[in-house]
């Protein structure tokens, strides 16, 4: 009898829990419906951001095709640093900005030869310093993002790496992500993002807090992470075929780069090599060997575009 009463008590308690669970679910569903579909509110306040519902639907609805064309029609190349920002300083006082600019100019020329129907744009063509925000704005404006004439575009930022150890060397590619793939990736992104503080006089935590448009952009580019990773892998695969290019332990990684975060398109950041390493510095400073890497990177980009076309935007 005692055991029977205990079973009955447990049963009633279980029913009460189930009933309470369904009540909570109904309240949450009603709240969500009211928030999203109230005719009196056409905007959602998310982390103090006023974001249009239509933007959220387009960003996170898997049924919406994020690519408007059958191919990639625009590529934006971003030579890192420049002007008052020398970037890292390597052996024999080589400035990163002076390594990545010729690489980028040569990459533009090579892409124009092998992809004659694709528009190639540089964020800088000389020793100037566009801010990180200006760089991704150039990319988004070139691709006509947020217009009814938006283009399928790629954003490729070119950099050179550095290390306290002169033995560190090798080529690697990054794509944007909120979570870094390793502590090393976090360190690389922190160094590249340092321009926000040193040259733009912006505290990164305040920058992240106040820039509502940038946060909005990041929500939208989440949908391009797969394509960004595929682009990074395609470039790395071809570059590692070049004699003299060293493969890093993890050649393709993800990290939070602000210049990639603001670009609403598949985007990668290339670390061409360590200019603090004598061999990498010589390789990148010598046009003959650098061109080999440039041609390989261009081939990797072309391979990606061809795969994009074959799979109709990776939708198969």
């Amino acid at each position: 009898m005692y055991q029977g009463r205990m079973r009955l008590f447990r049963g009633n308690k279980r029913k009460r829990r189930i009933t309470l669970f369904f009540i909570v679910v109904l309240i949450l569903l009603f709240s969500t419906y009211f928030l999203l579909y109230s005719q009196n509110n056409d905007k959602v306040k998310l982390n103090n951001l006023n974001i249009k519902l239509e933007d959220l639907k387009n960003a996170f609805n898997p049924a919406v095709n994020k690519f408007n064309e059958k191919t990639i029609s625009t590529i934006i190349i971003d030579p890192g640093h420049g002007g008052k920002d020398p970037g890292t300083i390597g052996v024999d006082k080589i400035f990163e900005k002076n390594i990545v600019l010729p690489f980028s100019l040569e990459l533009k020329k090579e892409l124009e030869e092998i992809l004659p129907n694709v528009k190639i744009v540089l964020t800088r063509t000389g020793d100037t310093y566009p801010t990180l925000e200006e760089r991704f704005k150039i990319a988004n404006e070139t691709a006509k993002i947020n217009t009814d004439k938006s283009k399928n575009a790629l954003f490729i930022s070119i950099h050179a790496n550095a290390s306290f150890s002169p033995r560190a060397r090798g080529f690697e590619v990054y794509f944007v992500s909120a979570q870094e793939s390793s502590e090393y990736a976090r360190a690389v992104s922190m160094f590249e993002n340092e321009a926000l503080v040193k040259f733009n006089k912006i505290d990164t935590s305040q920058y992240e807090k106040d820039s509502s448009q940038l946060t909005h952009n990041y929500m939208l580019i989440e949908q391009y992470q797969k394509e960004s990773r595929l682009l990074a892998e395609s470039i790395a695969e071809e570059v590692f075929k070049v004699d003299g290019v060293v493969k890093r332990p993890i050649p393709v990684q993800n990290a939070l780069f602000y210049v990639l975060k603001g670009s609403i398109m598949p985007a990668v950041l290339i670390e061409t090599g360590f200019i603090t390493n004598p061999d990498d510095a010589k390789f990148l400073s010598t046009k003959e060997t650098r061109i080999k890497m440039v041609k390989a990177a261009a081939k990797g980009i072309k391979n990606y575009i061809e795969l994009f076309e074959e799979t109709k935007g990776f939708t198969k």
Side-chain angles (χ1 to χ4, degrees):
M1 180 65 73
Y2 176 77
Q3 291 178 347
R5 287 179 180 175
M6 287 300 295
R7 283 195 296 270
L8 180 61
F9 176 77
R10 292 193 187 104
N12 290 337
K13 190 174 181 179
R14 189 183 304 113
K15 289 179 181 178
R16 286 198 297 271
R17 286 178 176 174
I18 293 172
T19 302
L20 181 60
F21 172 78
F22 279 110
I23 290 173
V24 172
V25 170
L26 287 172
I27 291 173
L28 289 173
L29 288 173
F30 178 80
S31 300
T32 303
Y33 177 85
F34 180 82
L35 179 65
L36 293 177
Y37 298 101
S38 172
Q39 293 182 353
N40 296 325
N41 259 327
D42 64 344
K43 290 185 178 181
V44 178
K45 195 169 186 182
L46 186 63
N47 292 336
N48 297 320
L49 307 178
N50 288 323
I51 299 175
K52 293 180 181 179
L53 288 176
E54 195 60 32
D55 289 341
L56 290 176
K57 292 176 184 177
N58 290 339
F60 300 109
N61 183 357
V64 175
N65 187 351
K66 56 196 171 187
F67 297 109
N68 299 323
E69 303 170 311
K70 295 181 180 180
T71 187
I72 303 295
S73 60
T74 307
I75 298 174
I76 299 92
I77 302 172
D78 171 46
H81 309 282
K84 61 184 178 181
D85 177 9
T88 191
I89 301 175
V91 297
D92 298 326
K93 296 184 179 180
I94 298 174
F95 287 173
E96 179 181 2
K97 68 175 184 177
N98 295 332
I99 288 291
V100 300
L101 182 59
F103 188 103
S104 300
L105 292 169
E106 291 157 1
L107 180 60
K108 179 179 185 291
K109 182 179 178 181
E110 180 66 19
L111 287 172
E112 286 173 338
E113 290 182 5
I114 65 175
L115 298 170
N117 297 321
V118 178
K119 181 180 181 180
I120 314 296
V121 174
L122 288 164
T123 60
R124 70 178 180 97
T125 57
D127 190 21
T128 58
Y129 175 70
T131 66
L132 297 185
E133 184 176 2
E134 287 170 343
R135 293 170 196 266
F136 66 69
K137 280 186 175 180
I138 291 171
N140 292 335
E141 289 173 2
T142 300
K144 303 183 187 301
I145 300 299
N146 295 328
T147 73
D148 57 359
K149 297 180 180 180
S150 61
K151 303 293 183 181
N152 293 342
L154 305 177
F155 182 79
I156 301 168
S157 192
I158 309 297
H159 291 260
N161 221 329
S163 173
F164 289 115
S165 170
R167 292 181 297 177
R169 62 179 305 200
F171 177 94
E172 54 195 1
V173 192
Y174 291 85
F175 61 95
V176 72
S177 172
Q179 295 294 326
E180 289 83 359
S181 54
S182 66
E183 285 301 315
Y184 168 75
R186 182 191 301 273
V188 173
S189 66
M190 286 177 64
F191 176 79
E192 298 298 353
N193 293 335
E194 190 180 10
L196 289 168
V197 179
K198 289 180 64 177
F199 303 104
N200 299 0
K201 307 300 182 184
I202 296 174
D203 176 69
T204 52
S205 61
Q206 193 67 21
Y207 180 82
E208 179 68 16
K209 179 181 178 182
D210 293 344
S211 183
S212 60
Q213 185 59 47
L214 191 61
T215 306
H216 181 199
N217 288 353
Y218 181 64
M219 294 172 66
L220 296 178
I221 65 165
E222 282 287 325
Q223 64 182 323
Y224 292 106
Q225 283 198 7
K226 172 187 174 183
E227 288 76 21
S228 298
R229 177 179 57 81
L230 290 172
L231 175 60
E233 291 172 346
S234 183
I235 293 172
E237 181 180 0
E238 290 301 322
V239 171
F240 290 135
K241 295 177 182 178
V242 176
D243 186 36
V245 174
V246 173
K247 186 175 183 180
R248 296 288 294 164
I250 308 177
V252 175
Q253 297 200 55
N254 49 288
L256 183 58
F257 293 95
Y258 283 104
V259 70
L260 300 187
K261 182 177 177 181
S263 308
I264 315 300
M265 61 194 72
V268 298
L269 185 144
I270 295 175
E271 293 284 3
T272 53
F274 285 75
I275 58 174
T276 47
N277 175 275
D279 294 324
D280 273 7
K282 182 179 179 180
F283 189 97
L284 292 168
S285 300
T286 305
K287 184 174 181 178
E288 182 182 355
T289 51
R290 185 180 64 241
I291 285 291
K292 293 179 181 179
M293 184 187 291
V294 166
K295 288 181 175 292
K299 184 178 179 182
I301 295 168
K302 182 180 180 181
N303 291 345
Y304 170 91
I305 293 176
E306 289 174 348
L307 181 61
F308 178 95
E309 293 172 346
E310 290 173 8
T311 59
K312 300 180 180 179
F314 307 108
T315 56
K316 287 187 177 181

